[in-house]
Amino acid sequence: MPNVLLIEDDAQIRTSLTRGLRDRGHAVLSAPAALDGLRLAVEERPDLIVLDLGLPDLDGLDLLRMLRAVSRVPVIVATARDGDAEMVRLLDAGADDYVVKPFTATQLDARIRAVLRRSGESRADGSVTVGGLRMDPRTREATLDGAPLDLSPREFDLLHYLAARPGEVVTKRELLTHVWQVPYGGADKTVDVHLSWLRRKLGETSAEPRYLQTVRGVGVRLAAPS
């Protein structure tokens, strides 16, 4: 039974979503404010967090960045605005997905199951398999269709970060933050160059991608070939 933490300040919405998610098989913890939610996230280690951006004590995006500093738990953000700019902003901050208000418990449940499916493809030992690509962070070994991939340490870290989030669009800023450990931005060209090297080793090009797919204006995603 997935354990979901709902951080939402509106008592009526919180009660309705809690009831709806429990009816659909989720165990639900809830918090009415950011700091309460952060405490529960650390103490209870939920499987997924649903985070409303409009919290009374702290901006929701600030809380998302705090969560990302201490946890890789999947986060779905609830926002009132839809559009490319908002999506980029949320992905930059570390969101795994988002839902636009108003939404129902049924819609949220579908999003939760989809995000948990993606995150569940990573094994407990940290190894990741996407199509014919397999990566084991313990041994720092990567194979493609059973053949070893000769990757530099940075290439391995970059590819593993993307492979651990199959199908998820990851921004260059997020990659610079988590792979290069540059929290306040950096040269996008660095990411582009390393992606180019990885494509060559994966036997593909940007014009004819197999695993690494560029989403123009947003970022890049790794997915198994069709």
Side-chain angles (χ1 to χ4, degrees):
M1 178 184 295
N3 189 3
V4 176
L5 171 58
L6 175 63
I7 306 177
E8 165 64 63
D9 68 318
D10 187 300
Q12 184 174 353
I13 294 175
R14 192 169 63 247
T15 299
S16 175
L17 289 177
T18 297
R19 183 184 302 114
L21 291 177
R22 284 175 176 166
D23 288 345
R24 289 161 178 80
H26 301 285
V28 182
L29 297 167
S30 65
L35 295 182
D36 290 334
L38 181 62
R39 176 182 56 80
L40 286 174
V42 173
E43 293 177 355
E44 301 296 333
R45 297 184 178 275
D47 297 308
L48 182 140
I49 296 173
V50 178
L51 171 61
D52 177 51
L53 292 184
L55 298 171
D57 56 338
L58 190 67
D59 181 77
L61 277 177
D62 289 335
L63 175 58
L64 177 57
R65 294 185 182 102
M66 294 169 68
L67 287 167
R68 278 290 163 262
V70 298
S71 174
R72 288 283 186 88
V73 62
V75 177
I76 297 176
V77 171
T79 177
R81 292 191 291 174
D82 190 8
D84 290 345
E86 179 72 353
M87 182 176 74
V88 171
R89 189 170 73 111
L90 296 174
L91 291 172
D92 278 347
D96 294 273
D97 200 353
Y98 71 100
V99 288
V100 179
K101 295 180 176 179
F103 56 87
T104 65
T106 300
Q107 293 169 328
L108 181 57
D109 172 54
R111 295 285 186 136
I112 289 172
R113 287 186 284 107
V115 170
L116 289 177
R117 271 198 309 271
R118 293 200 301 266
S119 63
E121 292 187 24
S122 296
R123 300 181 185 176
D125 63 3
S127 64
V128 178
T129 301
V130 181
L133 174 68
R134 187 179 187 280
M135 305 189 71
D136 189 337
R138 298 173 305 165
T139 61
R140 306 284 295 182
E141 293 177 342
T143 59
L144 180 63
D145 299 327
L149 283 175
D150 183 16
L151 303 177
S152 70
R154 187 73 77 189
E155 288 170 348
F156 184 94
D157 291 340
L158 173 58
L159 190 59
H160 184 266
Y161 189 86
L162 292 168
R165 297 156 179 79
E168 177 184 334
V169 180
V170 180
T171 66
K172 293 178 183 178
R173 184 179 303 176
E174 181 179 345
L175 292 172
L176 285 166
T177 299
H178 294 285
V179 178
W180 274 265
Q181 304 297 313
V182 181
Y184 301 110
D188 286 356
K189 189 66 174 177
T190 299
V191 179
D192 292 335
V193 169
H194 280 77
L195 288 173
S196 177
W197 291 342
L198 283 176
R199 284 193 175 98
R200 190 177 308 133
K201 293 181 178 182
L202 291 171
E204 61 184 70
T205 66
S206 58
E208 297 183 0
R210 294 181 66 237
Y211 285 89
L212 293 170
Q213 304 166 1
T214 298
V215 180
R216 189 177 299 276
V218 183
V220 63
R221 66 176 163 229
L222 186 147
S226 301

